[in-house]
Amino acid sequence: MELRRRDYHVERPLLNQKQLEELGRWSSVTGTHQWRTWLQCSHARARALLLQYLPVLAWLPRYPVRDWLLGDLLSGLSVAIMQLPQGTFAVMSVMVGSVTESLAPDEDFLQDLNSTVNETARDAARVQLASALSVLVGLFQVGLGLVHFGFVVTYLSEPLVHGYTTAASVQVFISQLKYVFGLQLSSRSGPLSIIYTLLEVCWKLPQSVVGTMVTALVAGVVLVVVKLLNDKLQQHLPLPIPGELLTLIGATGISYGVGLKHRFGVDVVGDIPAGLIPPVAPNSQLFAKLVGNAFAIAVVGFAIAISLGKIFALRHGYRVDSNQELVALGLSNLIGGVFQCFPVSCSMSRSLVQESTGGNTQVAGAVSSLFILIIIVKLGELFQDLPKAVLAAAIIVNLKGMLMQFTDICSLWKANRMDLLIWLVTFVATILLNLDLGLAAAVAFSLLLVVFRTQLPHYSILGQVPDTDIYRDVAEYSEAREVPGVKVFRSSATVYFANAELYSDTLKQKCGIDVDRLISRKKKLLKKKELKLKRLLKEEKLQRQAAASKGTSVSINANTSIRDIESNNMEGSKAKQVSAGKELEDTAASGQEDAKAPDGSTLKALGLPQPDFHSLVLDLGALSFVDTVCLKSLKNIFRDFREIEVEVYMAACHTPVVTQLEAGHFFDASITKQHLFASVHDAVVFALQHPRSGPVSPVSVTQL
């Protein structure tokens, strides 16, 4: 519907900040002490704390058994079988392996006779290191969760998370290539490790095992076909076909019946030790050696878990409590370390398998853990012939969703190229520097980009949209017109130490007048006028002294004439000298009168160009806070524009900003709250009603 002119009409008086506070009866909000709420005790608070730290008590009683139980069971079984031959997350495993290999190298376990490595002693020492590392990682994560370190998640924007998880999926994909081709690769960690791994895979491709490649290819094709069937028959199937579970069980049976390992050289899971290791207290003496690596692993593990959690939360419409995730992950590592486990985190590949096979809740994880426990205790030998290539194929197929995030590049190119830059930098940094350093570099770049964007905001001169109280950028709105005699200036970002100088410079540039040069010329002319006056007064004094030394009384003033001097019977030369003195005195007298006059120092009196506007309105609606640099910059703006006879007003300040202005002693005798208006339109109308003409004393300026 076309907007009609004058759809509504509002009448109200012009409101500056002082009048607004009086009208609205403003009073400062008294802050509440957070510690008081922490010490409050009630049944409701106790229940809320219990559900906060044990959320299973909230959702398990409402669990829909008929709708979700079968999917969670099948999903848990699929993930459990995949979990048998590998660690939870390849990158975490490499990080832990690099620590254990550096602190317990093979050289420390050489036997004296034949210089062979005592693998039993070496592995025992490395297990001790890994379990102590797991306990320390768990302590870090639990501690960080209790102090609410999860707030750092707010700095993980969606483009950053997508770029990070995409890079992680690429790393997982490359880590599975050795199982697909049946290659033996050296273990690498640190920056560029994934690049070196990929180069090594390409270099050793001629050594690939054909049987392993065929096995991986067949398993991959089967999984893709099953997924296509699930998508096509989604409306007719009560539950998706558990393709991963059926493929793993079928591959194990075929491998056992055909003898893939012996006949075709296909690498299989192999011997799975049975039974549980009794809990052992970690060696606390190792903590000093492991503290740095433990903190890095704790942060990387949390970053992976929370990144995947945010992706699935966005996909399925729920929230992730980052602090609770830290505590849960820390307790898993802490308790696991007592049972000689190594640090773990959320697995991208297993999480994707769990989602694609119908998993809905943590019941799937419980089923998976229970099934793994049963396998460890008794059924491990049943899966000894499972080909690792089949597991790799299942992981790669389920990485499709994460790898499809490469399409973000096209969408972000059209929508927001700054977000695209964050995505690309995160991806490249994570690929080149690995997950720990890559995440740190990505967060640092993202924060620097925020600072850079606030340093270069959009500045604009506003004009009034006809017949409205709305003001918009005259460069963007062709119908917006500048109000004659009034300049309205706005910044799209808050003003603080990083952009305060740019704000002031751009303001002067947008006003179309060189303020600094005009002030400089004015000061030079005033100084020149003052020096001329002093020189004339000095010459007057010399004339008086010369006349007195010759016994002649000379009264030099504006009414002195040559005829008066000649009446004193002075010589012709003396008359000429006094005539010159009269001329100088005339100039001095006129200079004194100009200096005492109100308009003696105006731009017009000095012969300088005057601005084509008498008032400047600063739209400060974008300010969210002010610092000391901003306060000084605003004061300088008032000072400079008043020097060129332009009055300055401010408009649309939020209440917290006004409070900060008061706390910073911004308001004084020359700048009061009467210079601050409720809206831009109030300031403009007031400026039109009170145009400034000539210099005005500070006191009269505040009498608005």
Side-chain angles (χ1 to χ4, degrees):
M1 185 179 66
E2 183 179 357
L3 180 66
R4 294 174 297 171
R5 303 202 170 187
R6 305 191 183 281
D7 281 340
Y8 63 91
H9 182 70
V10 177
E11 286 189 4
R12 65 170 177 83
L14 299 180
L15 293 175
N16 57 41
Q17 184 64 29
K18 184 178 180 180
Q19 295 167 339
L20 180 61
E21 291 176 0
E22 293 174 353
L23 181 65
R25 296 184 181 180
W26 174 83
S27 62
S28 59
V29 180
T30 57
T32 58
H33 298 287
Q34 186 67 27
W35 60 270
R36 292 182 179 177
T37 60
W38 292 344
L39 297 179
Q40 291 177 356
C41 185
S42 64
H43 176 74
R45 180 166 174 76
R47 184 175 182 274
L49 286 174
L50 183 64
L51 295 180
Q52 178 182 353
Y53 290 103
L54 293 175
V56 65
L57 299 178
W59 62 264
L60 189 59
R62 301 194 301 268
Y63 181 79
V65 177
R66 181 176 298 178
D67 297 331
W68 287 357
L69 182 60
L70 184 57
D72 284 337
L73 285 173
L74 295 176
S75 176
L77 291 175
S78 302
V79 174
I81 296 175
M82 291 183 63
Q83 194 73 13
L84 293 178
Q86 298 173 310
T88 301
F89 189 53
V91 178
M92 289 284 291
S93 302
V94 170
M95 293 177 69
V96 175
S98 64
V99 174
T100 57
E101 288 176 5
S102 62
L103 296 180
D106 292 342
E107 292 78 11
D108 293 350
F109 301 94
L110 294 176
Q111 297 176 350
D112 296 334
L113 298 177
N114 50 9
S115 298
T116 59
V117 178
N118 188 347
E119 295 183 356
T120 303
R122 181 200 64 185
D123 292 345
R126 290 181 176 179
V127 168
Q128 191 178 26
L129 283 169
S131 61
L133 184 64
S134 180
V135 170
L136 198 54
V137 168
L139 289 174
F140 273 126
Q141 290 175 334
V142 171
L144 292 174
L146 293 178
V147 299
H148 288 199
F149 181 76
F151 76 92
V152 298
V153 175
T154 58
Y155 299 107
L156 303 179
S157 64
E158 186 175 341
L160 188 148
V161 169
H162 283 197
Y164 187 68
T165 52
T166 305
S169 65
V170 171
Q171 292 198 353
V172 172
F173 175 81
I174 295 176
S175 69
Q176 299 301 313
L177 292 179
K178 63 180 181 180
Y179 301 112
V180 172
F181 296 104
L183 302 175
Q184 297 294 327
L185 304 180
S186 56
S187 179
R188 302 179 185 275
S189 62
L192 300 179
S193 59
I194 199 68
I195 304 297
Y196 291 131
T197 301
L198 181 60
L199 293 176
E200 189 176 1
V201 169
C202 297
W203 181 260
K204 291 185 176 181
L205 275 180
Q207 304 174 17
S208 301
V209 180
V210 177
T212 302
M213 295 172 59
V214 173
T215 302
L217 180 62
V218 172
V221 170
V222 171
L223 289 170
V224 170
V225 170
V226 172
K227 289 186 178 296
L228 291 176
L229 287 175
N230 283 331
D231 293 338
K232 198 173 185 75
L233 304 176
Q234 183 177 5
Q235 298 179 350
H236 305 285
L237 294 175
L239 196 70
I241 301 173
E244 284 77 10
L245 179 62
L246 296 177
T247 302
L248 295 176
I249 295 175
T252 303
I254 294 173
S255 175
Y256 176 77
V258 177
L260 293 180
K261 177 177 177 58
H262 303 290
R263 294 180 60 184
F264 301 102
V266 177
D267 194 15
V268 296
V269 172
D271 183 44
I272 300 176
L276 285 176
I277 300 175
V280 178
N283 186 358
S284 58
Q285 296 179 354
L286 298 174
F287 286 175
K289 300 179 181 179
L290 299 172
V291 61
N293 293 303
F295 185 79
I297 292 174
V299 173
V300 171
F302 169 66
I304 289 293
I306 201 65
S307 298
L308 287 176
K310 290 185 70 173
I311 286 179
F312 289 119
L314 289 172
R315 189 177 297 177
H316 297 285
Y318 60 87
R319 287 180 59 90
V320 178
D321 187 345
S322 56
N323 295 309
Q324 181 67 18
E325 289 293 318
L326 262 175
V327 173
L329 193 60
L331 288 175
S332 300
N333 285 319
L334 182 60
I335 298 173
V338 176
F339 287 89
Q340 299 190 19
C341 298
F342 67 87
V344 296
S345 179
C346 181
S347 169
M348 179 178 297
S349 56
R350 275 83 173 167
S351 300
L352 293 171
V353 169
Q354 179 172 312
E355 183 199 32
S356 63
T357 53
N360 297 292
T361 64
Q362 291 175 322
V363 172
V367 171
S368 177
S369 301
L370 181 62
F371 191 64
I372 290 175
L373 178 63
I374 295 173
I375 292 174
I376 291 175
V377 173
K378 197 67 180 175
L379 303 179
E381 59 184 13
L382 296 179
F383 296 94
Q384 291 181 357
D385 292 306
L386 174 61
K388 292 183 179 180
V390 176
L391 291 168
I395 291 173
I396 291 174
V397 169
N398 283 282
L399 285 176
K400 174 192 171 185
M402 289 295 175
L403 295 176
M404 285 295 293
Q405 290 181 154
F406 277 110
T407 58
D408 291 347
I409 296 176
C410 297
S411 59
L412 290 176
W413 174 264
K414 299 176 181 177
N416 192 314
R417 296 185 183 178
M418 285 295 182
D419 284 345
L420 173 61
L421 186 60
I422 294 175
W423 195 103
L424 292 175
V425 170
T426 303
F427 177 82
V428 174
T430 306
I431 289 292
L432 297 180
L433 303 178
N434 221 332
L435 292 179
D436 48 356
L437 297 178
L439 178 65
V443 172
F445 177 80
S446 181
L447 294 178
L448 286 175
L449 190 60
V450 171
V451 175
F452 175 76
R453 294 172 77 174
T454 58
Q455 280 185 301
L456 297 175
H458 178 68
Y459 297 110
S460 54
I461 294 293
L462 305 184
Q464 184 181 16
V465 178
D467 298 327
T468 71
D469 61 349
I470 299 173
Y471 292 80
R472 291 294 181 265
D473 189 351
V474 294
E476 297 175 354
Y477 289 78
S478 59
E479 288 298 319
R481 296 287 184 269
E482 289 190 52
V483 179
V486 181
K487 287 282 184 181
V488 184
F489 181 75
R490 181 178 65 189
S491 169
S492 63
T494 192
V495 183
Y496 67 116
F497 68 92
N499 63 5
E501 185 176 357
L502 179 63
Y503 178 87
S504 180
D505 293 342
T506 308
L507 167 62
K508 295 173 181 178
Q509 179 185 359
K510 290 278 188 180
C511 286
I513 186 170
D514 194 338
V515 178
D516 295 329
R517 184 171 181 271
L518 187 57
I519 294 175
S520 177
R521 291 177 61 190
K522 178 181 178 181
K523 289 182 177 179
K524 287 181 179 179
L525 290 175
L526 288 175
K527 188 174 182 180
K528 185 178 180 181
K529 194 171 183 179
E530 182 181 359
L531 291 175
K532 185 177 181 180
L533 177 60
K534 288 181 178 179
R535 180 173 57 82
L536 292 174
L537 291 175
K538 185 177 180 181
E539 291 180 358
E540 175 192 352
K541 185 177 180 181
L542 292 175
Q543 292 284 348
R544 289 172 184 256
Q545 292 176 352
S549 63
K550 293 186 178 293
T552 305
S553 177
V554 181
S555 178
I556 304 177
N557 51 53
N559 297 320
T560 302
S561 63
I562 299 177
R563 185 174 299 173
D564 295 330
I565 298 175
E566 289 178 347
S567 64
N568 292 325
N569 298 321
M570 296 180 66
E571 298 178 354
S573 59
K574 298 287 185 182
K576 293 181 181 179
Q577 183 177 4
V578 175
S579 177
K582 170 200 172 283
E583 184 178 352
L584 293 173
E585 181 59 26
D586 288 340
T587 307
S590 63
Q592 289 176 334
E593 291 174 359
D594 287 343
K596 294 177 182 178
D599 295 335
S601 61
T602 62
L603 297 176
K604 183 177 181 181
L606 295 172
L608 294 175
Q610 295 177 276
D612 58 353
F613 57 98
H614 55 75
S615 300
L616 171 66
V617 177
L618 303 177
D619 183 358
L620 303 182
L623 265 66
S624 56
F625 69 94
V626 291
D627 58 6
T628 56
V629 179
C630 176
L631 294 178
K632 291 180 180 179
S633 179
L634 290 176
K635 278 183 173 289
N636 291 338
I637 290 172
F638 271 83
R639 181 200 64 199
D640 292 346
F641 277 89
R642 283 175 172 175
E643 281 285 338
I644 62 171
E645 302 164 15
V646 174
E647 186 54 81
V648 183
Y649 304 100
M650 301 182 297
C653 264
H654 301 295
T655 302
V657 176
V658 178
T659 304
Q660 292 174 0
L661 290 174
E662 289 181 320
H665 305 289
F666 176 76
F667 299 109
D668 53 22
S670 62
I671 306 175
T672 69
K673 285 187 177 180
Q674 294 173 334
H675 289 85
L676 177 58
F677 289 85
S679 70
V680 173
H681 191 61
D682 288 78
V684 170
V685 174
F686 182 87
L688 292 175
Q689 294 176 354
H690 301 77
R692 184 175 184 180
S693 57
V696 185
S697 64
V699 177
S700 63
V701 168
T702 59
Q703 304 297 325
L704 301 178

